[in-house]
Amino acid sequence: MARPTPDTEQRTPPPERARLQAAVRLEGVHKRFGDVTAVDGVTLDVRQGEFFSMLGPSGSGKTTCLRMIAGFETPTSGTVLLLGRDVTRLAPYDRDVNTVFQDYALFPHMTVGQNVEYGLRVKGVAPEERRGRAAEALRMVRLEGFERRKPSQLSGGQRQRVALARALVNQPAVVLLDEPLGALDLKLRQQMQIELKAIQQRIGLTFIYVTHDQEEALTMSDRLAVMNAGRIEQVGTPAEVYEKPSTGFVAGFVGVSNTLSGDAAREVTGSSATITVRPEKIRMLERDERPGDGECSVTGHVRDVVYLGANTRYTVDLDPGGELVVLQQNLARSSMEALEVRGKRVRLAWDRLHSRTLARSEEGTGPPGPGEEGT
Amino acid sequence: METRGVRIFMRVTSVLVLAFLYVPLAVIFLYAFNSTVGQKWPPSALTTHWFGVAWRNTEVREALFTSVRAALGATVIALGLGSLAAFAVHRFKFFGREALSFVLVLPIALPGIITGLALNSAISSSGLSFSLLTIIVGHATFCVVVVYNNVIARLRRTPGSLVEASMDLGADGWQTFRYVIWPNLATALVAGGLLAFALSFDEVVVTIFTAGPQITLPIWIFNNLLRPTRLPQVNVVAMVVVLASFVPVYLAVRLTREPAPGRFPAEVVPKPQEQLAVASAAV
Ligand SMILES: Nc1ncnc2c1ncn2[C@@H]1O[C@H](COP(=O)(O)OP(=O)(O)O)[C@@H](O)[C@H]1O
Ligand SMILES: [Mg+2]
């Protein structure tokens, strides 16, 4: 027999690797719609039992990735593996994956109970058993006793939970969630973030969560992938992505963009390579204070001050050009004192370890400011 | 700003328009119960005598059966073609899709006499004989559109994500059709069918051009309108035709009415026993 090509070796892994098997693996996945390249070469491993987020601005290809995992779209090229099995061309109903849709997609003519039971019913599970499992799933999302309601009789948050219960009841290998909290108001959304994460931890299923909200992704995820224009910019834990953004895009999209390049970078680091530093890592020095060992520093004058209650945000125009945003906790400072700094000259300093040099090829990528993205 | 005068004016015109539409109908209904053969206002006494007379008249009975058969036949064809066309236009993008949609809807705007004339020459030149079948085909031309319109409107209102959700939960194409698409479409189909039946049942012009020796109820009315002795029976038959058209239209309107958003209609909460029945029937 001919030696297997590396390609087939990856598709049929030996049994001893099965335990460490990725729940989902995308290998060089591309998806084109006519002239539009929605997904442009994504390679990604999602581990079993993790809460994995895909974060990116609108149009970056997150939904398309999710739909290829669910089976609603077929990649133009590349492979989708589910627990090591090639499912690239399988129909959605042959994949052990369930989706929570952004518009919930509850069946309007069925009761809540019938909606939740649906997956079990089409798989031929006996009525007794599926009623029990549906009740349990509804208990999990704190909707016990809602079986007989119709979806039209529920609030947005309740529909959201029914959609979640309808997916969870099947115990799929992976649960896909496409901006599931997008339609809820802020307060409910924050409450549901905590609840969703708690449920995921309790049942230990793999969740892949799509969002354009960086705060949401950072709060909920075990790991996340930051996407831009159909590509993955960085994969890592929330702390890694936030504190060590590997590209200018990530630095800008996750948190506030604070990048220094050219003369400003040279003055601070001695090299013109672009660096980035998080606003809360920067100190504003007292009048006679010198920067400490291992700190870099730069001077400028305060252009803008925004008092945020717990924090104050300063925008500082730097003497060598460019600007930095500085976020300071209001430990002993009143709003009056904070606002007085406007127009004053200041010296900024931060620990060298907190600034990161960005990969050269990424310097040109203009990151959109957070908040610019749509849904 | 709506002044008091305007409001009164609007109310009066509404009442006048409705009266113009419905008073003649009411008069016909009343005359159907008139005890004398001649029509004199006001009727001196009321009777159900003419209903018996009309029913015993074999010509009327034959016409009634012909009408029912024609309407049922046209409805069946309309349901088949109309829903298939709606599925095709909704689901697939193909060359001439817009044109097909337009061609399907057009017959409702064409004057019946044109449709009738065209069908008549088509049927005679094709060598078919004029029969109940040709009436059915003639009626189907304009019945298809009401089914098509109802079904496509419902399909457009049904989010595509419902079908995806069903497949995602493990249902294959047939299960998805049976459990999700069909229950959502059923009322639209029934409504379309009822409207098609009503349209066919009171049709005159196309029937004249496509019928052989058969007589439908509206044609019978037309033939007997000028015979004074038949007038009471004509009134009875007219009343039947009106009711046979009104009731389906009324039901169709009820079936396609959207539930008011945000309202919690009490009737959609099934009682416990019903709930069990629904669940087990759905197995
Ligand atoms: N069915 C489709 N047909 C054509 N273009 C599509 C389709 N789905 C997505 N796209 C395009 O692909 C790109 C990525 O879309 P999407 O995956 O929905 O991004 P996201 O979910 O990150 O907002 C967008 O430019 C979008 O317009
Ligand atoms: Mg999306």
Side-chain angles (χ1 to χ4, degrees):
Chain A
M1 256 184 71
R3 267 178 56 95
T5 62
D7 196 34
T8 53
E9 227 167 41
Q10 278 176 339
R11 288 181 202 191
T12 52
E16 65 266 23
R17 267 174 42 204
R19 220 166 7 96
L20 304 169
Q21 195 63 262
V24 172
R25 184 188 186 102
L26 301 181
E27 282 175 3
V29 170
H30 290 258
K31 179 66 187 180
R32 275 186 289 280
F33 296 102
D35 297 340
V36 182
T37 301
V39 174
D40 194 10
V42 164
T43 296
L44 181 68
D45 269 330
V46 179
R47 298 174 193 148
Q48 287 182 45
E50 82 177 330
F51 195 117
F52 189 91
S53 292
M54 302 187 75
L55 171 67
S58 178
S60 58
K62 310 179 296 290
T63 297
T64 307
C65 280
L66 218 57
R67 290 174 61 81
M68 287 190 290
I69 299 170
F72 301 130
E73 306 284 358
T74 310
T76 312
S77 66
T79 313
V80 180
L81 295 129
L82 194 61
L83 294 172
R85 192 162 80 106
D86 183 350
V87 296
T88 315
R89 265 150 235 292
L90 282 190
Y93 47 82
D94 287 328
R95 301 184 186 204
D96 191 13
V97 168
N98 287 123
T99 307
V100 176
F101 292 83
Q102 178 163 16
D103 66 352
Y104 316 137
L106 299 180
F107 305 123
H109 59 291
M110 296 185 197
T111 61
V112 167
Q114 288 167 335
N115 264 284
V116 176
E117 281 179 40
Y118 189 82
L120 302 173
R121 171 172 154 200
V122 297
K123 284 182 208 97
V125 176
E128 286 308 308
E129 185 190 339
R130 60 182 205 232
R131 216 156 291 156
R133 282 171 66 179
E136 193 189 313
L138 283 171
R139 195 171 326 120
M140 203 139 43
V141 298
R142 301 198 293 112
L143 281 180
E144 53 262 84
F146 277 65
E147 279 90 343
R148 289 189 201 119
R149 301 260 193 115
K150 280 283 179 97
S152 58
Q153 297 170 285
L154 302 178
S155 70
Q158 290 171 332
R159 285 178 205 186
Q160 168 63 60
R161 287 171 215 233
V162 174
L164 184 62
R166 189 175 67 172
L168 297 180
V169 76
N170 305 295
Q171 300 271 328
V174 182
V175 181
L176 305 176
L177 304 101
D178 191 356
E179 313 221 7
L181 308 182
L184 306 180
D185 60 55
L186 182 65
K187 199 137 193 176
L188 193 54
R189 196 157 74 219
Q190 287 170 339
Q191 182 195 330
M192 282 299 293
Q193 285 171 9
I194 295 166
E195 214 170 300
L196 208 54
K197 173 78 183 175
I199 290 171
Q200 189 268 339
Q201 281 176 331
R202 187 141 31 94
I203 59 179
L205 291 181
T206 312
F207 274 36
I208 302 183
Y209 189 95
V210 159
T211 179
H212 67 267
D213 181 338
Q214 48 113 357
E215 202 179 305
E216 201 165 277
L218 293 177
T219 331
M220 301 172 79
S221 323
D222 296 320
R223 290 194 309 145
L224 66 148
V226 183
M227 289 199 66
N228 178 31
R231 292 167 192 271
I232 290 185
E233 296 269 332
Q234 187 174 6
V235 180
T237 63
E240 282 166 2
V241 170
Y242 185 77
E243 297 193 354
K244 298 172 184 160
S246 62
T247 69
F249 178 83
V250 177
F253 192 73
V254 182
V256 176
S257 168
N258 250 350
T259 53
L260 291 182
S261 52
D263 289 341
R266 195 171 297 114
E267 172 159 331
V268 174
T269 65
S271 145
S272 64
T274 302
I275 62 161
T276 169
V277 56
R278 291 294 176 195
E280 68 277 11
K281 305 288 188 198
I282 303 174
R283 298 194 300 133
M284 256 201 258
L285 300 186
E286 300 299 323
R287 198 178 310 273
D288 317 312
E289 197 182 346
R290 308 295 318 159
D293 280 349
E295 278 191 325
C296 37
S297 85
V298 64
T299 54
H301 64 270
V302 177
R303 188 179 76 226
D304 195 23
V305 181
V306 180
Y307 184 74
L308 300 169
N311 302 299
T312 305
R313 190 175 66 212
Y314 305 90
T315 308
V316 180
D317 281 331
L318 304 180
D319 293 339
E323 62 170 48
L324 283 177
V325 174
V326 181
L327 198 66
Q328 304 256 282
Q329 268 190 292
N330 293 331
L331 292 175
R333 200 177 314 125
S334 71
S335 62
M336 288 303 291
E337 288 161 340
L339 292 168
E340 266 172 20
V341 184
R342 192 187 308 246
K344 297 270 168 60
R345 288 195 56 77
V346 288
R347 176 171 281 276
L348 306 176
W350 63 91
D351 194 316
R352 256 176 228 293
L353 296 174
H354 288 145
S355 52
R356 279 185 58 80
T357 307
L358 296 178
R360 242 180 196 287
S361 60
E362 308 294 346
E363 279 171 25
T365 329
E372 258 177 44
E373 72 278 3
T375 47
Chain B
M1 276 284 279
E2 207 175 87
T3 66
R4 203 178 130 77
V6 170
R7 220 163 40 232
I8 290 172
F9 174 77
M10 305 259 269
R11 283 210 190 128
V12 168
T13 27
S14 309
V15 167
L16 283 179
V17 167
L18 287 175
F20 181 74
L21 284 173
Y22 288 101
V23 166
L25 280 180
V27 169
I28 287 183
F29 280 28
L30 188 62
Y31 274 133
F33 295 95
N34 189 5
S35 61
T36 59
V37 173
Q39 291 183 349
K40 236 178 46 228
W41 189 262
S44 48
L46 298 180
T47 173
T48 53
H49 171 72
W50 300 114
F51 285 80
V53 172
W55 179 248
R56 280 191 298 276
N57 183 341
T58 48
E59 219 179 84
V60 171
R61 240 176 22 219
E62 283 288 307
L64 174 66
F65 293 143
T66 306
S67 276
V68 169
R69 275 197 294 252
L72 285 179
T75 304
V76 167
I77 293 181
L79 283 173
L81 293 183
S83 53
L84 288 178
F87 275 121
V89 168
H90 178 72
R91 179 77 188 278
F92 303 107
K93 284 202 170 71
F94 52 87
F95 177 75
R97 189 170 81 143
E98 296 306 314
L100 175 69
S101 190
F102 178 70
V103 164
L104 280 169
V105 179
L106 188 64
I108 211 151
L110 276 183
I113 196 153
I114 306 293
T115 313
L117 211 55
L119 282 166
N120 185 284
S121 59
I123 292 165
S124 15
S125 62
S126 71
L128 285 171
S129 58
F130 290 89
S131 63
L132 179 64
L133 187 70
T134 50
I135 301 180
I136 290 175
V137 171
H139 286 191
T141 56
F142 54 83
C143 288
V144 167
V145 52
V146 293
V147 174
Y148 170 82
N149 273 345
N150 265 281
V151 172
I152 201 151
R154 182 66 56 88
L155 285 173
R156 287 190 176 137
R157 235 169 42 201
T158 305
S161 60
L162 289 187
V163 171
E164 289 191 345
S166 170
M167 305 265 243
D168 185 72
L169 289 162
D172 58 28
W174 166 243
Q175 287 173 317
T176 298
F177 180 80
R178 184 165 153 216
Y179 297 136
V180 175
I181 300 175
W182 172 252
N184 267 303
L185 276 189
T187 53
L189 276 173
V190 172
L194 287 168
L195 288 174
F197 185 93
L199 268 185
S200 165
F201 198 82
D202 59 13
E203 218 293 328
V204 176
V205 182
V206 172
T207 317
I208 290 176
F209 283 94
T210 53
Q214 297 78 12
I215 287 180
T216 62
L217 273 193
I219 301 283
W220 185 89
I221 295 177
F222 192 65
N223 291 347
N224 290 277
L225 209 50
L226 300 177
R227 300 190 193 168
T229 52
R230 290 281 178 85
L231 211 51
Q233 286 185 60
V234 167
N235 286 329
V236 168
V237 171
M239 184 172 153
V240 169
V241 171
V242 168
L243 289 181
S245 309
F246 261 36
V247 172
V249 171
Y250 171 76
L251 291 176
V253 169
R254 284 206 55 155
L255 279 173
T256 48
R257 197 168 49 191
E258 281 200 67
R263 229 189 51 200
F264 292 176
E267 72 270 15
V268 303
V269 191
K271 296 177 194 72
Q273 0 17 330
E274 282 170 5
Q275 161 70 16
L276 284 180
V278 169
S280 48
V283 173

